[in-house]
Amino acid sequence: MAQATESESRKLLVALRDAMAEDAAGQARLDKIVELTASSMGTEVCSVYLFRDADTLELCATEGLNPEAVHQTRMRIGEGLVGRVARKNQIINTADAPNAKGFRFMPETGEEIYSSFLGVPIQRLGQALGVLVVQSKEAREFSGDEVYALEVVAMVLAEMTELGAFVGEGAALSALHQNPVTIPGSTAQEGVAKGHVWLHEPRVVVTNPVGDDPEVELTRLDEALEQMRVSVDQMLSDARTGDAEQVEVLEAYRMFANSKGWRRRMEQDIARGMSAEAAVEKEQSAARVRMEQVGDAYLRERLHDLDDLSNKLLRNLTGQGRDTGAEMPADPILIARNIGPGELLDYGRSLKGIVLEEGSVGSHAAIVARALAIPLIINAAGITNEALNGDLIMVDGDQAIVHLRPDENVQTAFSDKMLMQKQAATRYADLRDKPAQGLCGTVIDLHMNAGLMADLPSLEGSGAQGVGLFRTELQFLVANSMPKRGELSAQYERVLNAASGKRVVFRTLDIGSDKVLPYMKPEDEPNPAMGWRAIRVGLDKPGILRMQLQALLRAANGRPLSVMFPFIAQLEEFKAAKSELDKAIARETRLGHPLPSSLEVGAMLETPSIAFAPQQFFDDVDFLSIGGNDLKQFFFAADRENERVRKRYDTLNTSFLNFLEMIVNKCAQSGTLLSFCGEDAGRPLEAACFAALGLHSLSMRPASIGPVKHMIRRLDLQKLKTVIDEARASGAQSIRPAATAWIRENSD
Ligand code: PEP
Ligand code: MG
């Protein structure tokens, strides 16, 4: 019996494939498909309904219903049985349609005489395209085999990429990836960008959903699975010693690759006439639908893994690689599930924007995107599914929104916004050579943060007085192997040359936490942000620190040098780090190499503990720089990479400002130079409040210098300080509302 059903469904599929291959107009082909399906399934009616727009379905072909109703009958999603199939993305199978929940009578179709109804969603990779229905007069429920057969037809239909063309006259939109979509995400780098989609991993196109010979298809599937199993095993043995998370993902891959259930379902599909790739894609579609319904984060991750694995299998089967021959648009906006910093740098500044389905604000990719000043949105759910190469896309990094295929209203509003930003940029450029001096006369020093050679040109253009934070780890992160001392000193020399005498504060390597060097064995730590990172690594394994210090001394080659140690949590750590520097200086002296003409040695203030260090610490350091990103996360015990808790605590929170003020006062007493180089220094309101509290040196990404300077020049910082004091005295949790209101009224 099963054999007979299989050969029946195979015959239907082959007939469908032939119908699709015929050189007929789209409508004629669709008519042929409904006719073939109805006769093969022994039903009086077979109809195809397709989405006309995101909310409306349209009858596009029918065998059995009134032909006049084609392209006339329409229903809203959720309306009638067809609309319910579409909304719930679920099959409806009933022997008594007129009495079924949600039934809506459509007189123009003449369907009142049909009792049984079977509707299945037409969807491709989780994207709803329409509904396929069979109906018959005889009151009966359809068997499991029949349901399955109709699902297969729906899948073949979904593969007809010109499906949208079937929607009737006047339809402006078709369902398949043409409707405008707005996707919210989280901002990892501000800014707005307009461009066209460039998929980091282009979708595999299944061109032939029907297999001629099941034996051949089974062998192809077996070979592709084997090839994949071998490569997963290989990756696993390479990763064994490495990152625990990567191993976990690969273990999940291996579990799926060996999963009997997964394989059996694909074999059944092949036995019923599908090609090997169509069988893989059918499973992938089912996984995507489940993915949307599953609430549990762990399970969803596993379904993501299955999705990735299906993609690998499809690439094995079709031979389609990442390079599809498509040409990158002139204004590419990169879309990816996630991306590593090295891959991102390969694209470089050619990208106008980046949208990631996953990612985190503190990730390497985010650091690189920030360094390149490319707007980046993360956590944009479903973007890799929705976007197609070449789609128009607008990225609003300020509002954390992605507009995919935006309609005209959105396009106009967005263009206005871009124009305003451009005008603002011109205004800021005019300020370039003017000081950041408040109306009260106080002058604030503005420096820029950098980490790559590519950042240095901004030193000139932004009007920054120097580089307040050079994150040396970025150059380590993008290398394929540990850089040698000679390479490092050449890099630092280039940085100093490009700075042409302006001060550059080199922060020694801050690795660990989320910054894992690809060529160094990562530590499996329960809490990496509070783990073995930065100066802790430098002091425990001093080889790299020593090499870096030597490279810096040599790069300075008789010029001034500023070195800063990250993540100093107690005085002894600073002393130990400084003693490494002293040893390096002694060694250079012995070797007869020129020493820097002057040397400043400072520390980052990133842990609350160091703010309470003995006075000697403040006397010993030449300067301190507050790393607000880390300091804030430890002050509030709120992970900077965890979007949920990160946003709970305002930087302008009274307690945090009190703490900053305490540090300012301490440094004033000992005459220690103090600056602030976390991301908050680049936000105009925050920067103004810091300045009002006595932080007179700020370091930020180059694009923030103009807006911050513009803000400071409009304000009397002493008056702002009074506003802050009053708000604090009134018991306000955050001084933001008071400061915002005052600035609105009192800046010109
Ligand atoms: C900081 O913590 O504020 C800082 C500047 O360092 P990073 O962001 O590189 O940890
Ligand atoms: Mg830090």
Side-chain angles (χ1 to χ4, degrees):
M1 178 63 203
Q3 260 333 93
T5 321
E6 278 174 11
S7 71
E8 276 305 304
S9 89
R10 200 158 61 235
K11 259 194 258 157
L12 172 59
L13 278 191
V14 172
L16 285 176
R17 201 251 327 260
D18 294 346
M20 277 161 65
E22 267 170 30
D23 193 17
Q27 184 66 49
R29 263 194 275 170
L30 204 54
D31 291 344
K32 183 87 183 161
I33 288 171
V34 288
E35 182 199 317
L36 280 169
T37 308
S39 77
S40 157
M41 295 197 50
T43 56
E44 288 98 344
V45 176
C46 175
S47 316
V48 172
Y49 298 82
L50 295 176
F51 275 104
R52 182 185 161 80
D53 58 40
D55 302 316
T56 321
L57 287 149
E58 178 173 308
L59 176 65
C60 287
T62 186
E63 167 70 20
L65 297 184
N66 180 5
E68 304 279 292
V70 171
H71 297 309
Q72 302 305 321
T73 292
R74 289 184 189 155
M75 64 213 54
R76 312 280 297 166
I77 186 165
E79 192 185 0
L81 295 184
V82 172
R84 286 167 73 87
V85 172
R87 182 164 72 197
K88 300 213 156 155
N89 215 348
Q90 268 170 12
I91 295 165
I92 293 185
N93 180 2
T94 169
D96 185 10
N99 290 312
K101 190 170 166 211
F103 178 78
R104 210 201 83 184
F105 176 46
M106 307 258 188
E108 73 276 18
T109 62
E111 66 180 338
E112 63 278 12
I113 51 174
Y114 300 107
S115 187
S116 20
F117 174 102
L118 171 62
V120 300
I122 304 173
Q123 45 112 353
R124 182 161 185 268
L125 296 180
Q127 171 102 15
L129 305 174
V131 178
L132 177 63
V133 175
V134 287
Q135 291 169 281
S136 72
K137 285 185 191 153
E138 185 195 345
R140 66 181 181 97
E141 266 203 26
F142 290 90
S143 70
D145 276 339
E146 285 172 312
V147 172
Y148 181 87
L150 198 65
E151 277 187 295
V152 171
V153 175
M155 148 123 201
V156 171
L157 265 174
E159 290 299 337
M160 299 171 70
T161 44
E162 75 273 52
L163 218 50
F166 291 118
V167 183
E169 280 295 296
L173 307 163
S174 78
L176 183 63
H177 295 112
Q178 283 187 16
N179 48 328
V181 190
T182 301
I183 301 180
S186 318
T187 298
Q189 164 67 40
E190 286 90 358
V192 291
K194 174 181 175 181
H196 291 88
V197 167
W198 181 249
L199 293 171
H200 183 52
E201 292 248 2
R203 218 165 271 122
V204 178
V205 185
V206 174
T207 45
N208 178 16
V210 182
D212 285 325
D213 182 346
E215 291 300 317
V216 173
E217 296 303 313
L218 272 179
T219 314
R220 290 181 63 227
L221 179 68
D222 275 344
E223 283 170 4
L225 273 171
E226 188 50 34
Q227 200 181 336
M228 194 186 65
R229 261 194 296 265
V230 170
S231 84
V232 170
D233 282 347
Q234 183 59 46
M235 286 192 280
L236 206 50
S237 74
D238 291 348
R240 273 285 175 227
T241 49
D243 180 356
E245 219 171 296
Q246 197 193 352
V247 170
E248 196 192 322
V249 170
L250 289 169
E251 295 277 15
Y253 278 11
R254 190 160 68 172
M255 192 186 84
F256 286 123
N258 291 316
S259 152
K260 295 223 163 55
W262 186 45
R263 201 197 135 101
R264 195 178 52 244
R265 287 194 298 276
M266 293 194 287
E267 281 174 356
Q268 274 170 3
D269 292 334
I270 288 175
R272 289 171 196 253
M274 282 190 181
S275 64
E277 44 270 58
V280 175
E281 202 184 79
K282 182 161 170 280
E283 275 302 299
Q284 192 180 19
S285 282
R288 290 229 176 135
V289 171
R290 283 201 298 276
M291 211 137 64
E292 279 180 9
Q293 290 158 354
V294 161
D296 180 89
Y298 180 79
L299 260 183
R300 225 183 13 244
E301 251 333 287
R302 297 289 73 84
L303 286 167
H304 262 311
D305 293 340
L306 180 57
D307 195 57
D308 282 344
L309 204 66
S310 303
N311 273 334
K312 285 190 206 310
L313 206 50
L314 283 173
R315 288 192 196 287
N316 283 349
L317 279 165
T318 59
Q320 291 170 28
R322 276 192 189 166
D323 185 3
T324 57
E327 205 174 310
M328 183 143 102
D331 49 5
I333 304 244
L334 188 77
I335 308 290
R337 175 82 65 75
N338 220 337
I339 190 164
E343 289 172 302
L344 201 50
L345 275 166
D346 285 346
Y347 287 106
R349 288 186 197 274
S350 61
L351 298 178
K352 294 276 171 276
I354 308 162
V355 183
L356 300 180
E357 188 142 343
E358 296 168 358
S360 73
V361 172
S363 69
H364 309 165
I367 291 171
V368 172
R370 246 174 268 146
L372 297 174
I374 300 172
L376 165 64
I377 291 189
I378 56 167
N379 299 336
I383 186 80
T384 53
N385 233 349
E386 287 283 357
L388 283 185
N389 265 342
D391 280 347
L392 180 65
I393 181 167
M394 292 172 166
V395 176
D396 190 336
D398 300 334
Q399 304 286 327
I401 288 179
V402 181
H403 302 284
L404 187 63
R405 301 178 290 265
D407 62 26
E408 265 174 34
N409 290 337
V410 174
Q411 285 189 40
T412 315
F414 202 84
S415 301
D416 288 351
K417 186 169 176 160
M418 285 184 79
L419 190 68
M420 271 167 62
Q421 293 213 340
K422 223 170 163 179
Q423 285 165 348
T426 325
R427 208 165 51 231
Y428 300 144
D430 293 343
L431 291 179
R432 199 187 63 174
D433 299 319
K434 301 202 170 120
Q437 184 169 29
L439 299 177
C440 50
T442 312
V443 177
I444 308 300
D445 292 338
L446 302 184
H447 302 266
M448 65 173 242
N449 294 347
L452 296 167
M453 205 40 221
D455 296 327
L456 270 299
S458 306
L459 191 50
E460 188 54 35
S462 66
Q465 286 160 268
V467 177
L469 167 67
F470 190 89
R471 292 179 161 106
T472 58
E473 63 275 6
L474 290 197
Q475 288 171 325
F476 281 74
L477 275 172
V478 299
N480 295 323
S481 58
M482 182 70 81
K484 305 227 166 20
R485 189 185 54 205
E487 289 165 7
L488 279 185
S489 82
Q491 275 175 4
Y492 301 150
E493 194 179 337
R494 279 203 300 277
V495 171
L496 287 171
N497 292 346
S500 11
K502 287 187 175 168
R503 178 175 181 248
V504 179
V505 178
F506 288 97
R507 175 175 78 180
T508 63
L509 210 52
D510 179 7
I511 48 164
S513 186
D514 69 314
K515 299 175 201 158
V516 182
L517 299 185
Y519 39 87
M520 231 172 107
K521 182 174 166 291
E523 293 297 314
D524 190 6
E525 295 181 295
N527 209 334
M530 293 200 276
W532 198 55
R533 55 175 288 200
I535 200 64
R536 301 171 181 180
V537 181
L539 294 177
D540 292 353
K541 289 218 178 293
I544 306 177
L545 180 63
R546 285 178 190 152
M547 173 180 79
Q548 201 182 16
L549 293 172
Q550 276 173 13
L552 284 167
L553 291 170
R554 290 197 187 168
N557 193 20
R559 290 177 283 188
L561 178 66
S562 302
V563 177
M564 174 162 73
F565 295 113
F567 217 67
I568 297 287
Q570 53 185 5
L571 168 63
E572 284 64 27
E573 285 167 346
F574 180 72
K575 282 188 179 166
K578 184 141 187 266
S579 120
E580 288 297 340
L581 183 57
D582 291 340
K583 280 190 244 166
I585 292 172
R587 186 166 181 271
E588 292 301 290
T589 314
R590 267 199 318 277
L591 292 171
H593 292 154
L595 295 177
S597 57
S598 61
L599 180 66
E600 299 180 285
V601 190
M604 296 269 302
L605 197 158
E606 300 179 276
T607 60
S609 65
I610 201 68
F612 300 96
Q615 184 58 37
Q616 197 196 337
F617 172 71
F618 294 87
D619 296 338
D620 280 2
V621 291
D622 293 324
F623 63 92
L624 279 175
S625 190
I626 299 176
N629 307 337
D630 274 314
L631 187 64
K632 194 174 146 197
Q633 78 165 336
F634 298 121
F635 186 76
F636 288 111
D639 187 345
R640 66 192 257 191
E641 278 193 62
N642 181 338
E643 293 302 304
R644 185 182 266 176
V645 297
R646 186 180 69 85
K647 292 194 190 131
R648 275 180 100 91
Y649 303 98
D650 190 354
T651 304
L652 299 181
N653 172 293
T654 297
S655 311
F656 192 56
L657 293 187
N658 290 344
F659 183 47
L660 292 183
E661 195 176 42
M662 184 201 95
I663 300 168
V664 170
N665 291 339
K666 247 184 163 158
C667 288
Q669 274 165 26
S670 53
T672 312
L673 283 173
L674 178 67
S675 67
F676 188 109
C677 65
E679 299 296 315
D680 288 319
R683 305 200 164 94
L685 176 63
E686 280 80 341
C689 293
F690 293 166
L693 286 179
L695 269 161
H696 291 172
S697 169
L698 305 172
S699 191
M700 61 201 71
R701 61 191 180 92
S704 297
I705 291 189
V708 167
K709 195 185 277 188
H710 180 64
M711 172 71 103
I712 287 174
R713 289 174 59 86
R714 287 152 59 209
L715 299 177
D716 181 325
L717 295 171
Q718 280 165 8
K719 287 190 184 152
L720 176 58
K721 169 76 168 40
T722 313
V723 173
I724 294 174
D725 287 343
E726 281 167 8
R728 286 194 286 190
S730 77
Q733 176 170 287
S734 165
I735 61 100
R736 186 177 298 273
T740 311
W742 181 81
I743 289 176
R744 201 175 295 131
E745 282 161 29
N746 289 280
S747 61
D748 52 5

